[in-house]
Amino acid sequence: MTDLYDACLKCSLCELHCPVFRAAPAFPGPKNGGPGLERLRAAGRPVDETGLDLCLGCRTCEVVCPAGLSPAALIHRPKIEKVRRSGLPPREWLLTHTNLMGEVAVRMPRLTNGTLSFTPVRIGMEKALRIARRRPMPRYASGTFRDWFARRPRPWHDRPAPNGKVVYFHGCSTNYMLPEIGRHTVAVLEHNGFEVLLPPQKCCGLPLMGNGELDEARGWARYNVAQLKPFAQQGIPIVFTSTSCSLTVKREYEHLLGIEGAGEVAPLCYDLFEFLGQLHDEGRLRTDFRARGEEVLPYHQPCHQRVQGIGTPAVRLLKLVPGLHAWNMDAGCCGASGTHGFKREKYDLSMLVGEPLRQAVLESGAHRVISDCEACRWQIEHLTGRQAVHPVTVLCEAYGLL
Amino acid sequence: MKTQSYDVIVIGAGLAGLMAALAAREQGAEVAVLAEGGGAFELSSGCIDLFGATESPWTAMTGLRKHPYTLLGAAAVREAVSAFVAASGRMGLPYSEPADGRNQVTVTAVGNLRTTYLPAPGAAVIRPDPAADPGRRPVAVIGLQGMKEFHPGVVAEGLKRALPGTPVTARWVPLPAGTPDDLQPVQLARLLEEPVFRAKLLQALPSVPAGTTVLMPAVLGLDGAEAVRADVSAALGAPVGEVPLLSPSLPGLRLATRLYRYVQRRGVELCMGVQAAGAAAEGGRITTVTGQTVGGPVTYRAGAVIVATGGLLGRGLEVRDRTLCETVFDLPVEQPGGPWADADLLSVRGHAFVRAGVRTDDWLRPEGRANLYICGKLLAGYDPYAEGCGGGVAIASGWRAGGLAGGAVR
Amino acid sequence: MQRVVVIGGGATGSGILRDLAMRGIPAVLVEQGDLVHGTSSRYHGLLHSGGRYAVRDPESARECAAENAILRRIAPFAVEPCGGVFLQLRQDDPAYRAEWLAACRRAGVPVELLDLERLRREEPGISPDAVAAYRVPDASVDGFRLISGNVAAAEALGARTLTYRRVTGLLMDGARVAGVRLQSERTDASEALEADLVINAAGAWTGQIAAMAGIHLDLVADRGVLLVYHGRLTSRVINRLRPPGNGDIFVPAGSVTLLGTTATPVESPDNLEIPADEVASLLRLGAEMLPAAATSRVLRAFAGVRPLFKAKGDGASTRDLPRTYQVIDHAGAHGVEGLVSIIGGKLTTYREMAEKTVDMAAGKLGVTAPCRTAAEPILPPPEPALVRSVQAFVGPAHAAALAERHPAHLTAVVRELSAPKGSEILCECEQVTRGEVIAVARSLGEPSLSDIRRRTRLGMGTCQGAFCGYRTALVLAEAGVADPAAAPGLMLEMQAERWHGVTAALPGPELPGAELTYALYAGLFGGSKR
């Protein structure tokens, strides 16, 4: 991948596929907003950066560019510059430090969740902070995933696990809001003979990066790399259940943040199903699935997974489960885009962008949908009212471990 | 080390690569497509050119030499075209093969007539032969005000020259009040899928005399184009035909969207964002392909590999030191002998650099490679633009390569 | 009623027209193509500091040094004051440096030694083989803007310009030249213009004009090839610190970079062929100074013909011919009254050339007004209120660039910008608006897209007009400036012109771009020219 604008031929494939461009005429589009503006900047010309912040960071432009460019990376630069000059606004600070708030919120989930769904509070938040009130806040769990993991008995006691060790990078959403995803992941990995290791972790930092704040993100990234590197050096795989975290550690730590040592960690980072798929290829995956009825399971591929170039490993793996018919809806970006979908001025756009997905889900007739990204799942539920689950939950069911 | 295993790996997700993947899958192979980016067909008019500007492409292609069609043979080409047509029906974007096997005539945005074998669904098709169309149906060209990519008057003037005696009219229709200025075609197409916007536009459409051929720019919807066109035709009182714009052209995008979804429904693993960066071989057989992803290299084990990386646009070929090189396997490339391009941009002879590519045996394999197959633009010996055969070669060579590769590993 | 006809719409001719107008002498300029058809649009765009000529051609160096300062002052709208550097490489003759420094001092060319490490930080593309660097006041000049500025200034004072008119003969009154015969390049029309004096400022065609009066001028047409790179490889002019040769100048020009040039004598000033070996040698030589030049994307190549004359002491190669000029009153030299020729010279010194020519002309016409072309700016700076009004249509960032593009006709442009859809962007690469294009088109009557391109930069960016040429032809039809039936032809003319230059630079990184253009237009036109 290169962000040298020189290779751009103006073929317009990026513009053609960009989900924001077709929905928002105010967005200059990846072609003009990315390599187009960069060329003008390089020529010393003043450039008009209006509308660039409508970019949702889905990386579709990067995925389709035949010249290997990332217009999204070029579009992101002005935001980084702006934050370097004037810092993060209060709303952005709140949205990017969910981990800090999570520590508090899990101690009093009912109060937190109740408050965050109380209409007058949401109206106030929209007025004061421009956080869209129609966007449901994710609900905090009563206790973190890490607490659960710490308290449970060690499954392998003092024996080494038959298949070795694996590190689990759970991410903030699993820890504070969706600990069941963590529990299901641990169940699946242990069922397959792995000892799951949980080194200390900070937020991967993507929300900060997405909002242009790189320096603070670097601090968290260095911490995470320091925790993960010793395992990587021993060849212990690191699995992720959140595709935003996996993309961030796989690529952005080295490419965007320039963290030393990140390059040694990335080759050991796997999306969970990427890892399970490789196990299957090597004949090391258990396929003792419980008998079950037929279910058609539409799958939504998160944008942050698509750009990883690993195909759709969840679909591939779930095909092994008799009775399950997983298929990729391939209906475009859901529109949530992490923190952006919570912002009042981005909310309508995010719903418009997700419209084709909404239609695809409803047309499928399925009552639940799978996706590996929590933001996508929340968005699908918000768009359609249908349930959205992580594929690991389905796998856990299939093993009879739920 | 990250590894994945497949029976057949296809490198390149253009029309050739996707057809190859489908054909291999049909043989029961486990198939993955590795793609760095989109294919050129997405930018195209969505029409599939088989061969030539003459009436009968099947006859015209029999006289070719050292052409991909000569490697494939007419029977294989016919089979591939049928397979494509059948698949298109299953994807919900049905192309139809002409019953008489003759090229059809479509209209370009400058009002030129252009032959093609399989027009894109919804494309305007003209029947210029007066014997076939007695009464000389009038043609009405309707433009949408504010769209700078289409001028109905320019199309009309071109058609008047090309179809002497046919009454051709041109008019503009306003976009609904409040429509943002300076819309790009893909933006307008998406808006037309919104019922409220569409209803307003329909109100502004004139009704035309029955039997009129109506031409409009190809912005009548994206994935839901069929419904948009039906509504437009109903409002007009005559069926509407679309004229593709310069590029990118939405009918190409419509085909791409459906085809990507369809190959995945058929069980092909589509890995976008992978740059094929080398391979390992043992005794003349490729054993693995290495792909660069954001998470580092991945080794793909494969029983057969199909190279559908395209030409210069797809970056299957690139220029290094004034020589054309094949970018993944460093296969020998037949260079242009002599001047790389003709002095005349639209020379009927085409351009030597476009014809450059990799030569293969009759089984689409480069010399000395037992399980490597080439399809699409990377093949040497044809100029798709001068000859009018881009889509045809892509589909035919892709289908054949996939069948051969899939058959070989099963 | 004109007293003078000026033949040649290049730098010299336009400068003469302005000077004549300022001295109150009614004049008409005739030009066979569009303005700046000849060498003035086909060179590297360098406003010389004079350093290049200091050693071999000190008279030219002195002229350049003086005129450089003047032009920066009177034509800021056309000059990008990027500065320049003379770079000595490891493999260059070290002895030349001292000789060069001394010569620059003598010629009055300001030179300053630079800290090479600091220069490398500012210009990371410089070769690791560089051993020394000197700053000089080179600049980059937009030939078209400069000439059209001169013409606009002259027209404001009553002068006239006739483009696409070829001189087919001189009106002779015995042994006196009494005017010119013109043939339109666009229609069948021909006309005759009478004048008291004809000034032959036809650049590389000066010899052909003089021959019409039976005069032989000892001129050499010397063709040079240049390459246009996508993007700015350097932010300032880079010269090679060694005796002038091929491929030793890089000039940034807006959003592209020019690399030149070569020197090959040709028989005709219309010989604009681009030999492949000259392209290859430019790439090789350029890469010695900026290694990226070997692999960076060359958008196209083009050729220009220098008008050189064989003054006393000419050497064996055209490189050794001096770049000074000569004003010839043919009455004295050849017994032909009513004709003055200006031969040789270079764009950087055009104003002085014009001054000397008009001094002679004024003398012959009995006009005593002095020359004021150096004292007064060519164009008044655009009114701030007008520039601000542009912002209303295109935003502040864009407004400055737009105002810079149209120094002489901003009012007309603003009028078209304020029309519906006026601020619509037609050329995304160079951010050219519909309003500008319509304003320019209306002022020209029946323009080709290339005429519009020269005046707006439409199609001079990444896609080289592949997309915007199409759009613009349709917009011209829609605006009623062009006939819808003519739109396809307009597109083809632009693409054919670009193709010539693009194919000359092949093979190279522009090959995929060339294929894309070909694919687009073969699709539009059905795969063969209709």
Side-chain angles (χ1 to χ4, degrees):
Chain A
M1 194 202 79
T2 169
D3 54 18
L4 298 173
Y5 64 90
D6 197 41
C8 174
L9 287 183
K10 299 268 168 167
C11 74
S12 307
L13 261 177
C14 57
E15 199 174 82
L16 200 59
H17 282 279
C18 173
V20 176
F21 183 72
R22 59 175 68 169
F27 181 52
K31 176 182 73 168
N32 292 328
L37 283 192
E38 191 66 10
R39 187 175 151 271
L40 293 174
R41 272 186 211 108
R45 303 243 273 265
V47 294
D48 186 358
E49 291 171 352
T50 320
L52 285 185
D53 60 334
L54 290 172
C55 172
L56 293 181
C58 70
R59 316 300 218 185
T60 298
C61 51
E62 190 181 309
V63 164
V64 302
C65 175
L69 284 171
S70 175
L74 292 171
I75 287 173
H76 196 50
R77 283 192 195 159
K79 192 181 290 185
I80 297 172
E81 275 311 302
K82 184 158 174 237
V83 169
R84 190 176 295 159
R85 281 196 309 270
S86 20
L88 271 182
R91 170 184 71 178
E92 273 65 11
W93 194 95
L94 275 173
L95 291 173
T96 56
H97 288 77
T98 44
N99 47 345
L100 298 181
M101 290 178 293
E103 286 296 334
V104 175
V106 296
R107 315 284 162 215
M108 37 179 178
R110 279 200 301 277
L111 180 58
T112 314
N113 295 335
T115 309
L116 292 176
S117 52
F118 190 43
T119 309
V121 169
R122 294 307 301 270
I123 294 177
M125 279 170 75
E126 186 171 288
K127 278 206 181 20
L129 295 169
R130 296 185 51 73
I131 292 181
R133 71 171 139 112
R134 280 174 290 164
R135 168 79 54 194
M137 284 294 181
R139 302 177 73 75
Y140 287 91
S142 59
T144 65
F145 164 68
R146 293 189 74 88
D147 286 342
W148 171 86
F149 190 83
R151 282 197 306 264
R152 66 196 283 266
R154 291 274 146 268
W156 305 106
H157 304 289
D158 296 317
R159 292 174 290 133
N163 250 335
K165 302 179 186 177
V166 65
V167 169
Y168 178 31
F169 190 99
H170 47 75
C172 300
S173 63
T174 302
N175 200 32
Y176 299 112
M177 299 153 188
L178 304 162
E180 65 271 19
I181 304 226
R183 292 197 294 270
H184 299 164
T185 302
V186 169
V188 164
L189 289 168
E190 287 177 351
H191 186 67
N192 278 283
F194 284 93
E195 181 190 345
V196 179
L197 305 174
L198 214 69
Q201 305 163 21
K202 287 197 199 280
C203 169
C204 71
L206 180 63
L208 278 176
M209 291 179 233
N211 282 283
E213 170 52 75
L214 299 192
D215 289 330
E216 195 176 350
R218 281 194 186 95
W220 297 356
R222 275 188 216 109
Y223 180 87
N224 285 330
V225 168
Q227 294 297 325
L228 297 173
K229 202 161 99 161
F231 298 103
Q233 281 167 340
Q234 294 172 59
I236 295 174
I238 303 159
V239 299
F240 294 74
T241 47
S242 165
T243 49
S244 302
C245 299
S246 57
L247 176 63
T248 304
V249 179
K250 273 186 182 184
R251 181 173 74 183
E252 310 301 9
Y253 274 11
E254 187 177 11
H255 185 83
L256 182 62
L257 300 183
I259 305 294
E260 213 179 294
E264 288 174 61
V265 171
L268 276 302
C269 291
Y270 292 79
D271 171 271
L272 175 67
F273 279 82
E274 182 189 2
F275 179 68
L276 298 174
Q278 183 158 328
L279 283 184
H280 177 64
D281 268 3
E282 294 166 0
R284 293 161 62 205
L285 183 79
R286 283 177 74 156
T287 51
D288 52 337
F289 301 115
R290 289 277 181 84
R292 48 159 302 136
E294 303 283 310
E295 184 183 2
V296 171
L297 260 187
Y299 169 79
H300 166 71
Q301 182 176 39
C303 292
H304 286 167
Q305 189 198 68
R306 185 164 68 144
V307 74
Q308 292 183 34
I310 55 178
T312 48
V315 172
R316 197 158 170 241
L317 199 97
L318 289 176
K319 283 192 181 142
L320 298 173
V321 180
L324 266 188
H325 303 284
W327 60 283
N328 183 12
M329 287 184 282
D330 201 2
C333 173
C334 74
S337 177
T339 57
H340 298 313
F342 288 88
K343 303 178 186 178
R344 176 64 194 92
E345 70 278 12
K346 301 265 172 61
Y347 176 82
D348 295 328
L349 176 64
S350 87
M351 297 301 276
L352 200 54
V353 165
E355 176 61 22
L357 176 59
R358 187 187 76 89
Q359 284 179 20
V361 169
L362 295 177
E363 268 165 33
S364 75
H367 42 256
R368 67 175 181 168
V369 161
I370 45 171
S371 184
D372 335 52
C373 169
E374 61 280 4
C376 296
R377 288 196 302 276
W378 290 327
Q379 172 76 328
I380 289 170
E381 287 178 346
H382 184 48
L383 279 167
T384 66
R386 302 288 157 89
Q387 193 195 18
V389 297
H390 195 293
V392 73
T393 301
V394 173
L395 188 60
C396 211
E397 262 173 30
Y399 278 133
L401 299 170
L402 260 192
Chain B
M1 188 175 73
K2 291 182 178 166
T3 61
Q4 293 186 30
S5 297
Y6 296 92
D7 294 326
V8 176
I9 299 257
V10 179
I11 307 177
L15 190 53
L18 295 173
M19 288 303 291
L22 285 174
R25 191 85 191 101
E26 200 104 326
Q27 302 282 327
E30 287 296 318
V31 184
V33 174
L34 310 179
E36 191 181 9
F41 77 109
E42 305 188 34
L43 301 169
S44 75
S45 65
C47 296
I48 305 296
D49 297 343
L50 191 62
F51 195 81
T54 62
E55 282 184 353
S56 178
W58 299 106
T59 319
M61 72 168 76
T62 54
L64 296 171
R65 282 155 40 82
K66 300 192 80 176
H67 191 282
Y69 283 151
T70 36
L71 289 177
L72 298 166
V77 179
R78 278 190 199 277
E79 187 194 312
V81 171
S82 302
F84 172 79
V85 170
S88 74
R90 289 195 287 269
M91 316 174 200
L93 192 67
Y95 281 68
S96 14
E97 207 172 335
D100 57 3
R102 285 145 77 106
N103 274 328
Q104 308 194 55
V105 180
T106 59
V107 183
T108 76
V110 293
N112 272 23
L113 297 181
R114 195 177 174 282
T115 54
T116 189
Y117 192 63
L118 302 175
V125 174
I126 298 281
R127 295 169 214 295
D129 175 8
D133 190 14
R136 294 231 168 95
R137 274 184 220 213
V139 176
V141 187
I142 300 180
L144 297 171
Q145 221 149 38
M147 260 202 77
K148 59 182 184 291
E149 317 279 338
F150 184 84
H151 189 301
V154 171
V155 177
E157 289 302 312
L159 285 177
K160 283 180 198 164
R161 269 196 308 270
L163 304 170
T166 302
V168 184
T169 54
R171 64 192 293 165
W172 294 95
V173 150
L175 289 175
T179 306
D181 285 331
D182 210 2
L183 282 183
Q184 290 295 304
V186 72
Q187 294 169 327
L188 186 51
R190 192 204 63 79
L191 273 175
L192 281 169
E193 294 197 347
E194 275 181 19
V196 173
F197 183 89
R198 183 154 86 245
K200 286 192 197 152
L201 180 73
L202 295 177
Q203 274 168 15
L205 289 175
S207 39
V208 299
T212 307
T213 303
V214 183
L215 306 185
M216 288 187 73
V219 293
L220 303 179
L222 294 169
D223 219 22
E226 201 179 336
V228 177
R229 277 195 303 266
D231 283 356
V232 168
S233 302
L236 291 165
V240 67
E242 287 183 305
V243 175
L245 307 174
L246 180 66
S247 180
S249 202
L250 298 187
L253 175 65
R254 293 172 193 152
L255 175 59
T257 309
R258 299 262 175 168
L259 194 49
Y260 285 140
R261 240 179 254 151
Y262 179 72
V263 303
Q264 292 179 82
R265 281 315 286 266
R266 303 291 287 182
V268 170
E269 186 74 349
L270 182 61
C271 303
M272 303 289 285
V274 181
Q275 187 191 33
E282 263 169 39
R285 297 187 69 85
I286 305 284
T287 50
T288 65
V289 172
T290 306
Q292 285 297 336
T293 73
V294 307
V298 177
T299 302
Y300 299 88
R301 279 189 286 271
V305 178
I306 300 177
V307 192
T309 47
L312 290 159
L313 291 174
R315 301 219 304 180
L317 290 174
E318 73 184 12
V319 175
R320 279 178 230 144
D321 236 345
R322 305 177 72 80
T323 308
L324 279 169
C325 305
E326 188 273 316
T327 53
V328 182
F329 299 90
D330 205 17
L331 300 170
V333 176
E334 189 178 84
Q335 306 289 321
W340 283 54
D342 198 289
D344 182 5
L345 171 65
L346 295 181
S347 159
V348 295
R349 285 179 302 273
H351 300 284
F353 78 89
V354 175
R355 286 191 294 274
V358 176
R359 286 277 173 205
T360 67
D361 61 18
D362 289 346
W363 294 271
L364 297 176
R365 294 175 311 187
E367 192 182 322
R369 309 293 186 125
N371 63 344
L372 192 64
Y373 301 83
I374 313 285
C375 61
K377 189 66 189 59
L378 187 59
L379 289 167
Y382 74 112
D383 181 327
Y385 318 109
E387 297 167 21
C389 65
V393 171
I395 286 172
S397 61
W399 186 256
R400 177 94 171 115
L404 289 169
V409 299
R410 297 303 291 171
Chain C
M1 179 58 204
Q2 66 278 356
R3 296 194 67 188
V4 177
V5 169
V6 181
I7 304 176
T12 316
S14 72
I16 288 170
L17 191 70
R18 176 184 176 233
D19 201 343
L20 288 168
M22 287 172 82
R23 300 198 214 193
I25 302 172
V28 178
L29 184 151
V30 299
E31 159 57 54
Q32 63 178 323
D34 188 12
L35 277 188
V36 206
H37 166 80
T39 318
S40 298
S41 69
R42 297 177 163 280
Y43 81 119
H44 40 51
L46 178 53
L47 188 66
H48 283 279
S49 58
R52 184 179 180 74
Y53 302 105
V55 173
R56 293 275 177 85
D57 192 352
E59 198 179 324
S60 288
R62 258 190 300 276
E63 289 162 8
C64 288
E67 288 297 311
N68 180 309
I70 293 172
L71 286 184
R72 280 167 186 258
R73 199 170 21 82
I74 65 171
F77 57 91
V79 174
E80 193 189 327
C82 55
V85 154
F86 269 81
L87 200 66
Q88 186 170 55
L89 302 181
R90 201 186 312 280
Q91 58 262 48
D92 296 332
D93 174 15
Y96 185 74
R97 196 200 305 190
E99 196 186 342
W100 179 77
L101 285 169
C104 286
R105 233 182 345 260
R106 281 195 299 272
V109 177
V111 169
E112 183 196 325
L113 176 65
L114 287 175
D115 173 35
L116 193 56
E117 284 323 301
R118 180 155 156 220
L119 179 66
R120 281 191 198 288
R121 278 197 299 276
E122 289 169 15
E123 302 290 349
I126 283 180
S127 164
D129 291 335
V131 295
Y134 292 86
R135 185 194 347 252
V136 291
D138 282 334
S140 169
V141 60
D142 183 322
F144 197 88
R145 262 184 228 171
L146 179 63
I147 277 101
S148 52
N150 277 324
V151 166
E155 286 178 342
L157 293 169
R160 276 200 303 144
T161 313
L162 297 172
T163 54
Y164 290 104
R165 308 287 207 286
R166 195 163 35 84
V167 173
T168 51
L170 299 171
L171 300 175
M172 300 300 294
D173 181 11
R176 192 181 80 83
V177 173
V180 297
R181 251 197 300 275
L182 300 173
Q183 171 66 48
S184 166
E185 291 286 308
R186 289 249 165 100
T187 68
D188 292 330
S190 61
E191 64 190 295
L193 285 180
E194 290 175 1
D196 297 332
L197 181 68
V198 172
I199 298 181
N200 175 13
W205 290 267
T206 320
Q208 287 183 4
I209 301 292
M212 291 176 188
I215 297 165
H216 171 74
L217 294 174
D218 210 0
L219 299 175
V220 177
D222 190 45
R223 185 191 63 202
V225 169
L226 297 101
L227 303 182
V228 180
Y229 284 89
H230 181 245
R232 278 166 84 101
L233 269 58
T234 161
S235 67
R236 70 198 80 192
V237 175
I238 311 267
N239 300 273
R240 188 98 172 243
L241 182 47
R242 71 170 184 190
N246 289 349
D248 53 6
I249 311 178
F250 281 96
V251 181
S255 51
V256 299
T257 310
L258 300 186
L259 166 61
T261 171
T262 55
T264 308
V266 289
E267 288 307 307
S268 157
D270 296 305
N271 180 339
L272 297 175
E273 273 167 38
I274 306 166
D277 60 304
E278 288 187 32
V279 172
S281 90
L282 281 175
L283 288 169
R284 194 176 29 84
L285 291 164
E288 289 179 10
M289 284 201 287
L290 297 180
T295 48
S296 291
R297 192 165 147 207
V298 175
L299 290 173
R300 62 189 175 94
F302 66 96
V305 174
R306 298 176 194 79
L308 303 179
F309 70 95
K310 292 194 184 128
K312 294 170 269 293
D314 51 337
S317 99
T318 49
R319 280 270 173 230
D320 297 324
L321 286 177
R323 299 310 307 277
T324 51
Y325 60 92
Q326 196 176 36
V327 184
I328 304 174
D329 179 356
H330 293 292
H334 303 97
V336 176
E337 256 299 345
L339 181 67
V340 164
S341 290
I342 162 84
I343 58 174
K346 51 199 325 62
L347 189 137
T348 300
T349 54
Y350 88 90
R351 190 216 59 83
E352 187 188 291
M353 290 160 62
E355 178 177 341
K356 297 291 182 276
T357 309
V358 177
D359 281 347
M360 178 177 295
K364 292 170 80 73
L365 296 170
V367 171
T368 54
C371 175
R372 293 180 351 258
T373 57
E376 294 183 20
I378 296 175
L379 293 174
E383 283 167 56
L386 205 53
V387 178
R388 269 198 305 277
S389 69
V390 174
Q391 288 180 15
F393 303 109
V394 297
H398 188 186
L402 195 157
E404 242 176 58
R405 273 205 286 269
H406 305 279
H409 307 290
L410 198 51
T411 314
V413 169
V414 170
R415 193 166 43 238
E416 289 301 334
L417 278 176
S418 62
K421 295 183 285 185
S423 48
E424 206 173 72
I425 300 277
L426 292 182
C427 169
E428 293 155 344
C429 306
E430 293 287 321
Q431 305 271 288
V432 181
T433 55
R434 179 187 164 113
E436 294 169 77
V437 166
I438 305 281
V440 162
R442 286 202 209 283
S443 77
L444 291 175
E446 269 183 41
S448 69
L449 289 181
S450 300
D451 292 335
I452 295 175
R453 172 179 61 81
R454 282 183 274 271
R455 289 160 173 80
T456 58
R457 293 196 66 83
L458 179 100
M460 293 177 92
T462 310
C463 80
Q464 288 289 290
F467 294 101
C468 51
Y470 165 82
R471 250 178 247 138
T472 301
L474 298 187
V475 163
L476 291 178
E478 193 222 324
V481 179
D483 191 314
L490 289 177
M491 292 174 203
L492 280 180
E493 182 268 336
M494 183 188 212
Q495 294 313 312
E497 204 205 305
R498 302 323 262 162
W499 188 250
H500 177 65
V502 166
T503 51
L506 299 180
E510 185 54 16
L511 208 52
E515 182 167 340
L516 183 59
T517 302
Y518 171 46
L520 294 177
Y521 284 85
L524 262 189
F525 288 90
S528 64
K529 206 156 50 175
R530 303 281 165 133

